[in-house]
Amino acid sequence: MTTETTTITNKMTTRNVDVFYGEKQAINGVSIDIDMENVTAFIGPSGCGKSTFLRTMNRMNDTIPSCRVTGEITLDGEDIYAPSMDVVQLRARVGMVFQKPNPFPKSIYDNIAYGPRIHGLASGKEELDRIVEKSLQRAGLWAEVKDRLNESGTALSGGQQQRLCIARAIAVDPEVILMDEPCSALDPIATAKIEELIHELRGKYAIVIVTHNMQQAARVSQRTAFFHLGTMVEYGDTSEMFTNPQEERTRDYITGRYG
Amino acid sequence: MNTTNNSTEHTVKAFDSDISEMRGLIAEIGGRAEKSISLAMKALADNDYDLAREVVKNDKQIDALEEKIDRMVIQTIALRAPMADDLRELVATLKISGVVERIGDYAKNIAKRVAVIDNNLHIEPASLLPAMAQAASQLVDDALTAYATRDADLADQVCERDRVVDDFYNTIFRSLVTHMVDNPKHIGAGAHFLFIAKNLERIGDHATNVAEMVYFAVTGENIGERERGDNPSDPLYSED
Ligand SMILES: Nc1ncnc2c1ncn2[C@@H]1O[C@H](COP(=O)(O)OP(=O)(O)OP(=O)(O)O)[C@@H](O)[C@H]1O
Ligand SMILES: [Mg+2]
């Protein structure tokens, strides 16, 4: 036994990341390390740039024409904006759950099976069935949909759709999962299931979660980053952030004194 | 961030009024505990049984206040899920109310001895007790002032000054024991005075506890462990 086991390796790093929408700068010089051991929460007032920054981490912002990213973002030390980077592959490795649920207009089954299929993760129908069931189980949706897997994903309720998207994200067994307010449309039980899932996935995947719910951030994360007006004001251990933040702006925000 | 800036109000105004109500209740329970100490000591000095009984009666109100504060803190934590300095303050408030209630108990314990001490005996070392009570009571007062004004420096001073009370205790302890050896007939009353000195010493310790809580609430850090005046050779020493 060596003490090496406690060494934390960074799964993703960002250095001096700026993001612009046209002329308007939305993110200003953000440098952060994301590791496998800890769940990282992004908190901050609406419009501060959490989603924008999260999207840079798997190049989802490529789909927004006016959006420009500078600085460096790496996955396992590799620059994800390098020309050699395969974006489809990148998004399989860095999965994302969006703020608004966005199921494909396909069956519940196909919503989950789509990723494993195109990435060749299942050797046959049986294995695909197993992946679909397991993913739905983990997202806390299986019991509700197991008898209607052929119905359209868009026919589900908002909260069910969100869990479907979470199931879809974990079905491809990503290395990093970015979740943008995954529980904002969920009831407390479904929320608890997602939080349980996050606990379960911790250590296997690097996880980043954006949440407006302070208690949720405190419950599920070990590291918290506070964003304000496009900058990362404070980044530290969650327990410290919520009991003794170092920055006044953080304190004002988490104690409800903001604005 | 070693200062608390409570100038900014919460977006939810009701939270601010809950907090100020709790601060008011701590001031009230603290004021009653201090009063209990001074009345108990006056009852002892004047051999006034009625006054002693009043202290005992007063203690019920202190207990009721503690309960009220605890209920309010718990409800506020449940409703508002406080964070950072708010959370620290509420936790401190919860603990302080318990500690102040104990201070009231010690004062009550002193008052209960009034009826059983034979005050016709002249026991010189006991004459230091009023000054000791004054010092202990002042610590309680300062600790509560530190709470009311979010004053970490004053809290720190209270912890430092607890030594004075401990020194009183050690002096009274030694001279009482010597006195009892020389005057075996005084052992009964002497033992009561010993316990009274011990009660006052514990009041000083609890004032320190309050101050430590205040320090934590204000700064987010624990006050540095300092050497306590607790004397392990003291046969009455107990960690209660
Ligand atoms: N597609 C876009 N085009 C132009 N501006 C955008 C776009 N998306 C976001 N912005 C702007 O960038 C800033 C950050 O927005 P972003 O959605 O990242 O905030 P957020 O922190 O996720 O907020 P919320 O908590 O409300 O989701 C905002 O000023 C927003 O108006
Ligand atoms: Mg967002």
Side-chain angles (χ1 to χ4, degrees):
Chain A
M1 271 286 160
T2 65
T3 51
E4 292 288 298
T5 48
T6 57
T7 315
I8 289 182
T9 47
N10 293 322
K11 187 69 186 171
M12 293 195 79
T13 65
T14 83
R15 290 293 174 269
N16 292 314
V17 169
D18 291 340
V19 184
F20 300 84
Y21 292 110
E23 291 297 296
K24 189 174 159 286
Q25 186 161 5
I27 288 292
N28 200 330
V30 173
S31 301
I32 194 170
D33 295 333
I34 307 294
D35 64 68
M36 300 288 285
E37 271 50 59
N38 299 296
V39 175
T40 304
F42 288 177
I43 60 169
S46 188
C48 69
K50 304 176 298 294
S51 298
T52 297
F53 183 66
L54 203 67
R55 282 195 297 263
T56 65
M57 297 176 71
N58 73 345
R59 294 183 53 175
M60 259 324 153
N61 49 290
D62 286 9
T63 59
I64 304 168
S66 70
C67 186
R68 187 162 57 85
V69 180
T70 64
E72 189 190 59
I73 302 179
T74 67
L75 172 65
D76 286 336
E78 211 183 329
D79 181 359
I80 67 166
Y81 284 83
S84 56
M85 180 60 64
D86 175 346
V87 179
V88 175
Q89 202 56 42
L90 171 69
R91 290 186 193 143
R93 293 174 67 193
V94 184
M96 189 159 193
V97 177
F98 295 86
Q99 197 165 352
K100 287 191 215 106
N102 56 345
F104 305 138
K106 289 169 183 266
S107 72
I108 291 168
Y109 184 95
D110 284 339
N111 261 276
I112 312 294
Y114 178 77
R117 246 187 225 129
I118 62 163
H119 292 289
L121 297 179
S123 54
K125 168 83 171 116
E126 218 167 90
E127 194 175 356
L128 199 56
D129 287 353
R130 207 178 45 74
I131 292 175
V132 169
E133 174 173 348
K134 186 169 161 230
S135 306
L136 288 167
Q137 290 272 21
R138 294 176 111 179
L141 189 59
W142 177 249
E144 284 155 76
V145 300
K146 64 177 193 290
D147 300 322
R148 46 193 281 214
L149 292 174
N150 293 322
E151 283 175 34
S152 171
T154 54
L156 294 170
S157 79
Q160 289 171 329
Q161 287 184 20
Q162 187 62 298
R163 281 175 286 155
L164 182 68
C165 293
I166 290 168
R168 188 177 66 191
I170 57 180
V172 293
D173 211 13
E175 296 160 45
V176 181
I177 301 185
L178 311 172
M179 298 187 176
D180 197 347
E181 293 183 53
C183 301
S184 56
L186 303 189
D187 69 32
I189 303 291
T191 298
K193 284 181 184 161
I194 300 307
E195 291 183 6
E196 182 54 30
L197 174 71
I198 292 171
H199 280 296
E200 201 185 296
L201 300 181
R202 180 187 167 197
K204 298 191 197 89
Y205 307 145
I207 300 171
V208 181
I209 176 172
V210 172
T211 176
H212 280 293
N213 180 330
M214 298 299 138
Q215 276 63 45
Q216 177 167 69
R219 283 192 300 266
V220 304
S221 75
Q222 290 73 46
R223 307 275 290 159
T224 296
F226 171 62
F227 288 80
H228 187 229
L229 299 174
T231 64
M232 190 173 73
V233 173
E234 190 169 348
Y235 180 40
D237 287 344
T238 299
S239 54
E240 271 291 302
M241 290 280 274
F242 287 118
T243 57
N244 193 17
Q246 297 305 303
E247 298 291 330
E248 185 129 349
R249 276 184 290 170
T250 315
R251 200 267 330 222
D252 285 352
Y253 179 69
I254 65 175
T255 59
R257 290 184 178 91
Y258 178 79
Chain B
M1 197 179 58
N2 267 8
T3 58
T4 13
N5 164 17
N6 283 326
S7 56
T8 9
E9 292 176 348
H10 289 94
T11 309
V12 179
K13 298 283 189 299
F15 192 6
D16 287 322
S17 59
D18 287 352
I19 287 177
S20 61
E21 186 177 344
M22 278 180 276
R23 288 180 186 167
L25 289 171
I26 288 288
E28 188 182 342
I29 194 175
R32 283 183 186 275
E34 284 177 49
K35 190 164 165 229
S36 285
I37 300 169
S38 68
L39 291 184
M41 293 309 292
K42 188 166 180 344
L44 186 68
D46 302 348
N47 205 31
D48 185 337
Y49 298 175
D50 289 338
L51 194 56
R53 267 192 294 276
E54 199 181 309
V55 172
V56 175
K57 224 171 64 196
N58 226 335
D59 195 57
K60 296 213 167 55
Q61 284 161 318
I62 292 180
D63 293 350
L65 268 171
E66 185 207 8
E67 252 176 62
K68 184 173 174 185
I69 293 166
D70 289 1
R71 262 201 313 275
M72 219 179 144
V73 170
I74 288 165
Q75 184 177 344
T76 306
I77 289 175
L79 289 186
R80 315 244 178 249
M83 288 288 187
D85 53 342
D86 292 334
L87 179 60
R88 300 200 305 266
E89 167 154 1
L90 285 173
V91 170
T93 301
L94 190 66
K95 287 184 164 181
I96 288 171
S97 85
V99 169
V100 171
E101 189 272 332
R102 290 299 298 279
I103 291 174
D105 284 346
Y106 287 119
K108 180 175 74 175
N109 194 280
I110 293 170
K112 279 182 171 171
R113 294 180 194 277
V114 172
V116 289
I117 295 179
D118 178 355
N119 75 324
N120 292 317
L121 304 173
H122 179 72
I123 301 181
E124 179 59 27
S127 64
L128 275 176
L129 286 171
M132 181 182 183
Q134 176 60 40
S137 190
Q138 188 61 48
L139 280 188
V140 175
D141 193 69
D142 287 347
L144 291 165
T145 302
Y147 171 83
T149 57
R150 330 270 93 202
D151 188 338
D153 290 335
L154 183 56
D156 193 50
Q157 279 176 36
V158 168
C159 297
E160 191 60 44
R161 278 178 20 226
D162 182 40
R163 281 167 210 269
V164 176
V165 177
D166 292 337
D167 289 345
F168 261 117
Y169 175 66
N170 290 330
T171 305
I172 292 172
F173 180 81
R174 280 196 210 95
S175 49
L176 267 175
V177 170
T178 310
H179 182 93
M180 288 191 282
V181 170
D182 295 343
N183 305 274
K185 289 206 174 90
H186 291 182
I187 284 177
H192 283 298
F193 284 128
L194 268 186
F195 279 117
I196 289 170
K198 184 68 194 169
N199 286 335
L200 292 172
E201 189 265 339
R202 293 300 292 154
I203 288 173
D205 285 348
H206 280 320
T208 307
N209 290 338
V210 171
E212 286 170 354
M213 242 72 84
V214 170
Y215 192 91
F216 170 72
V218 174
T219 65
E221 276 148 34
N222 288 317
I223 207 160
E225 263 305 312
R226 65 188 73 236
E227 230 176 274
R228 288 291 191 71
D230 287 330
N231 183 354
S233 65
D234 163 9
L236 292 180
Y237 175 83
S238 65
E239 195 64 355
D240 57 343

